[in-house]
């Protein structure tokens, strides 16, 4: 982890811990709640679980190796997982809150696609990273607190995407810092 600021190293460690907690919540949810869910939610739960591992692997080791477009593909795959959640049926209908959450997720997917195409502009991407994080958090929290049967499983599941996004953003920042320190400037 040479050529990385101390704050970025701490951020990567925190994001890895959060992803591990998310994996733990996913395992707990699989054990306690998987079979009682509609097939659309079961599929999405599986994809989120896989995405946690992909983000964890990239955050801990993948960003260190020169790899061309690997980060772009991981970010794009993350956007596809969110889109999958929007397309698959199975989310309980909570009226206007459902539309608001879907709107937040849809806008986040659009911004993620835009973000993945312009990784060389880190200063401008900071605003996008923060906006996407807020949208993902808002969408999940809206559904968690509007649902009359609030439980810790659904709340933890609602935070899975913001946690993955934070880990991806920190890995992106670390990768960018390494490129800049190696004298490769703006190319990532």
């Amino acid at each position: 982890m040479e050529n990385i600021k101390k704050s970025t190293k701490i951020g990567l460690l925190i994001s890895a811990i959060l992803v591990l907690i998310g994996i733990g919540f996913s395992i707990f949810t699989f054990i306690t709640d998987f079979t009682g869910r509609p097939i659309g939610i079961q599929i999405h739960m599986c994809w989120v679980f896989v995405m946690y591992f992909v983000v964890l692997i990239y955050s801990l080791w993948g960003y260190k190796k020169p790899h061309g477009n690997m980060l772009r593909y991981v970010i794009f795959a993350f956007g596809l997982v969110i889109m999958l959640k929007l397309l698959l049926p199975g989310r309980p209908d909570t009226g206007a809150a459902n539309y608001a959450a879907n709107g937040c997720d849809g806008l986040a997917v659009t911004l993620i696609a835009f973000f993945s195409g312009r990784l060389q502009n880190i200063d401008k991407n900071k605003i996008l990273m923060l906006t996407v994080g807020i949208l993902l958090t808002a969408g999940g929290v809206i559904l968690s607190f509007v649902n009359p049967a609030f439980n810790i499983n659904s709340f933890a599941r609602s935070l899975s995407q913001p946690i993955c996004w934070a880990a991806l953003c920190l890995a992106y920042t670390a990768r960018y810092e390494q490129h800049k320190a190696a004298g490769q400037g703006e190319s990532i």
Side-chain angles (χ1 to χ4, degrees):
M1 289 174 57
E2 314 86 40
N3 303 327
I4 298 177
K5 295 178 190 171
K6 185 177 182 180
S7 61
T8 304
K9 288 180 185 179
I10 292 169
L12 283 171
L13 179 64
I14 290 170
S15 67
I17 291 168
L18 287 174
V19 168
L20 287 173
I21 290 170
I23 289 171
F25 270 121
S26 291
I27 291 170
F28 179 75
T29 302
F30 280 133
I31 293 169
T32 61
D33 204 24
F34 188 73
T35 56
R37 295 288 181 177
I39 189 72
I41 291 179
Q42 289 178 351
I43 292 170
H44 186 259
M45 287 168 65
C46 290
W47 278 109
V48 167
F49 191 68
V50 169
M51 198 67 214
Y52 266 134
F53 277 106
V54 169
V55 169
L56 182 67
I57 289 167
Y58 186 83
S59 295
L60 293 178
W61 300 286
Y63 75 92
K64 296 177 185 178
K65 307 222 182 320
H67 46 62
N69 290 324
M70 184 187 295
L71 178 62
R72 189 176 320 273
Y73 299 145
V74 170
I75 291 171
F76 194 74
F78 178 72
L80 288 176
V81 168
I82 297 170
M83 189 181 302
L84 180 68
K85 180 175 79 170
L86 292 171
L87 295 176
L88 289 175
R91 186 186 272 186
D93 187 13
T94 53
N98 206 22
Y99 293 123
N102 285 344
C104 287
D105 287 346
L107 185 55
V109 167
T110 304
L111 292 176
I112 288 169
F114 181 67
F115 173 79
S116 70
R118 46 180 274 156
L119 295 178
Q120 71 280 5
N121 299 327
I122 193 164
D123 293 329
K124 293 177 183 176
N125 284 343
K126 288 179 183 178
I127 295 169
L128 283 175
M129 291 186 287
L130 181 63
T131 304
V132 168
I134 290 169
L135 287 169
L136 292 175
T137 304
V141 169
I142 287 170
L143 286 179
S144 290
F145 286 107
V146 173
N147 191 349
F150 176 81
N151 65 41
I152 194 68
N153 282 347
S154 65
F155 184 68
R157 199 169 41 251
S158 72
L159 294 179
S160 65
Q161 291 170 339
I163 289 171
C164 282
W165 181 249
L168 278 174
C169 290
L170 285 163
Y172 162 64
T173 304
R175 182 70 184 147
Y176 191 88
E177 287 175 11
Q178 282 185 325
H179 269 265
K180 193 171 182 179
Q184 296 173 350
E186 298 294 316
S187 67
I188 189 166

